[in-house]
Amino acid sequence: MSIKKLMEGVYWVGVVDWALRHFHGFELSTHRGSTYNAYLIVDQKVVLVDTVWSPFQNQLIDNISQIIDPARIDLIVANHAEVDHSGGLPAVVRHAPKAQVIVSPKGAESIEGHYHQPWNFKVVRTGDRLNIGSSDLMFIEAPMLHWPDSMFTYLTGKNILMPNDAFGQHYATGFRYNDEVDQEELYQEALKYYANILTPFSKLVSKKIDEVLAMNLPIDIIAPSHGVIWRKEPLQIVRKYQEWAAQIPEKSAVILYDTMWEGTRRMAEAIGYGLADEGIPYKIFHMAVTDRNDVITEIFKTKAVIIGSPTLNNGLLPTITPILEDLKGLKFQNKIGAAFGTYGWSGESVKLIEEHFGRCRIPVVAQGVLAKWQPKEPDLEACKNLGRTVAAAVREG
Ligand code: FEO
């Protein structure tokens, strides 16, 4: 049984992908799998809102076929072009060649760019409505939540908001609703999703939420395109997004490092002792053996980001570089930083990390510690002091 009736005439026809462990190619880890949610609305007109990732397109067609002949589909809403949602479009259009494909103005560009097909497109803008019988579809453009083409679809009468990626989670489960799953797991995945995907667009997230709330639409269900559907207190995830979008960090620190012969590790731990002396909680991550996306989620939550690397070939250890790219690209707000590392012959690592903090607009609040060869007691004491200085800045901030 892979379909679910949500209410009269509205069905979940998506796919649960239990095996997914990497998403966006290998850019994002998905420890708990994911779902690709598609919604079928059967009224005077038959509407499919979003599809599924291409490898599952036959399952989508089978799901729809359990309810109606897919040839009866009149409208296909493509809220967003990424292939985890649009991948089933070619199969659906093959079954329903006359169906209109509803897209946002930017979606016209991105869907065409992915499939190069002369489908029967209809471009809609915020506030446009399409009557489908007893209800209307209403559209809200949501650029940068999380692509320029992203769009929300609202079903009047049924009071369902289908916001595509927004409010989603990469979370495979046998259940479809938020009140049926482990709340801690659910919020871990919702936060990881926000931190890794939506952080740089936080100002737009706040504005879009304000805009949607000001429309005073009754919302009984928020049905995103990944993970569970928010049925119980659906606005709880909207309030969480408002909170996350404000990016007010916890008074804590994250220390991340890589090491060749344990010297930089010992420095990381000494910095931790300094933070602990001042009562600031911290976590240490060895980047060579830790999932990058999990660390991003920890960085999202915390105030201080302290980064360490030995110098290798006049630069950093390559395992540190990806998280530095994320630190810049995700445009974290309200952070402070500090750097440390060992060296043997030349010692550029601390300077390079501090320069990178500058590019990330993260102020460096403590003088970096650079230790030659294995750190000696004075080096470790300097690390402890760095921890204490960062702790003071965390407390002030
Ligand atoms: Fe779930 Fe932006 O795709």
Side-chain angles (χ1 to χ4, degrees):
M1 221 283 291
S2 50
I3 59 169
K4 174 96 181 172
K5 185 173 178 176
L6 304 183
M7 56 180 73
E8 202 51 48
V10 183
Y11 303 84
W12 176 85
V13 289
V15 166
V16 180
D17 187 353
W18 288 93
L20 189 79
R21 288 296 175 268
H22 297 99
F23 190 78
H24 287 156
F26 284 82
E27 185 271 327
L28 181 66
S29 63
T30 50
H31 307 314
R32 293 193 173 98
S34 193
T35 77
Y36 317 111
N37 297 338
Y39 302 99
L40 187 74
I41 304 161
V42 181
D43 203 324
Q44 285 173 23
K45 289 194 170 160
V46 177
V47 184
L48 180 68
V49 179
D50 290 319
T51 70
V52 299
W53 189 25
S54 330
F56 298 96
Q57 55 185 308
N58 290 342
Q59 193 175 329
L60 172 69
I61 297 296
D62 287 349
N63 291 350
I64 296 168
S65 302
Q66 290 180 50
I67 303 160
I68 51 138
D69 178 351
R72 286 187 52 204
I73 294 173
D74 299 295
L75 305 171
I76 309 163
V77 180
N79 278 318
H80 170 44
E82 271 199 285
V83 293
D84 51 323
H85 310 299
S86 71
L89 274 175
V92 177
V93 177
R94 264 198 309 280
H95 283 80
K98 291 195 180 137
Q100 275 191 316
V101 180
I102 313 288
V103 290
S104 69
K106 290 284 184 193
E109 191 183 316
S110 57
I111 296 279
E112 201 286 327
H114 277 77
Y115 298 99
H116 313 294
Q117 294 293 326
W119 291 331
N120 181 12
F121 288 111
K122 179 178 177 62
V123 175
V124 291
R125 294 181 168 76
T126 296
D128 285 355
R129 294 168 87 115
L130 287 177
N131 182 262
I132 58 167
S134 64
S135 302
D136 287 354
L137 296 174
M138 193 183 133
F139 303 99
I140 303 163
E141 292 167 74
M144 305 321 292
L145 268 76
H146 69 117
W147 267 21
D149 63 1
S150 297
M151 180 166 78
F152 297 175
T153 299
Y154 176 76
L155 184 62
T156 66
K158 310 284 188 191
N159 304 341
I160 305 178
L161 181 68
M162 289 164 279
N164 196 260
D165 280 321
F167 313 121
Q169 334 90 46
H170 287 304
Y171 186 25
T173 155
F175 299 95
R176 297 279 61 82
Y177 291 116
N178 65 316
D179 49 292
E180 299 176 301
V181 299
D182 182 291
Q183 298 300 292
E184 194 173 330
E185 286 187 355
L186 169 59
Y187 270 100
Q188 274 175 10
E189 295 305 332
L191 175 60
K192 181 173 177 178
Y193 197 97
Y194 188 96
N196 281 271
I197 295 174
L198 287 159
T199 299
F201 315 118
S202 288
K203 283 203 175 96
L204 294 169
V205 170
S206 297
K207 270 178 74 176
K208 186 54 60 179
I209 288 175
D210 290 347
E211 179 191 324
V212 172
L213 293 178
M215 291 176 175
N216 284 319
L217 302 169
I219 295 176
D220 293 339
I221 285 182
I222 296 178
S225 57
H226 296 291
V228 295
I229 295 164
W230 302 91
R231 163 178 78 174
K232 183 177 180 191
E233 297 168 35
L235 291 181
Q236 65 177 283
I237 188 62
V238 177
R239 287 192 291 273
K240 266 292 169 205
Y241 264 46
Q242 287 176 313
E243 185 187 317
W244 292 336
Q247 294 197 59
I248 308 297
E250 295 170 357
K251 290 190 181 300
S252 64
V254 160
I255 304 169
L256 50 101
Y257 74 99
D258 194 3
T259 190
M260 294 166 75
W261 299 112
E262 307 298 330
T264 307
R265 176 184 65 76
R266 290 168 59 220
M267 295 176 78
E269 289 173 3
I271 291 168
Y273 300 142
L275 287 160
D277 280 351
E278 301 298 322
I280 296 297
Y282 65 95
K283 290 179 181 164
I284 299 182
F285 298 103
H286 184 334
M287 289 312 300
V289 295
T290 309
D291 182 279
R292 202 184 91 251
N293 302 111
D294 291 341
V295 175
I296 288 169
T297 310
E298 294 296 332
I299 291 174
F300 179 85
K301 291 191 283 186
T302 202
K303 175 76 181 173
V305 185
I306 307 172
I307 302 179
S309 173
T311 297
L312 177 75
N313 298 332
N314 308 108
L316 305 174
L317 281 193
T319 41
I320 289 293
T321 315
I323 196 97
L324 294 185
E325 274 304 306
D326 288 317
L327 210 57
K328 180 157 63 72
L330 291 171
K331 299 185 174 68
F332 291 107
Q333 303 293 308
N334 305 322
K335 306 292 180 205
I336 57 176
F340 63 100
T342 55
Y343 72 106
W345 306 109
S346 70
E348 291 91 343
S349 65
V350 167
K351 181 169 160 281
L352 288 170
I353 294 167
E354 289 179 345
E355 285 172 358
H356 191 80
F357 276 131
R359 289 189 285 276
C360 302
R361 299 176 190 279
I362 295 176
V364 174
V365 295
Q367 187 176 354
V369 181
L370 189 60
K372 192 169 171 67
W373 308 118
Q374 282 292 336
K376 297 188 283 290
E377 269 315 306
D379 299 314
L380 296 174
E381 194 52 41
C383 287
K384 250 177 124 169
N385 283 334
L386 183 152
R388 291 187 190 110
T389 305
V390 171
V394 166
R395 223 181 287 107
E396 278 168 22

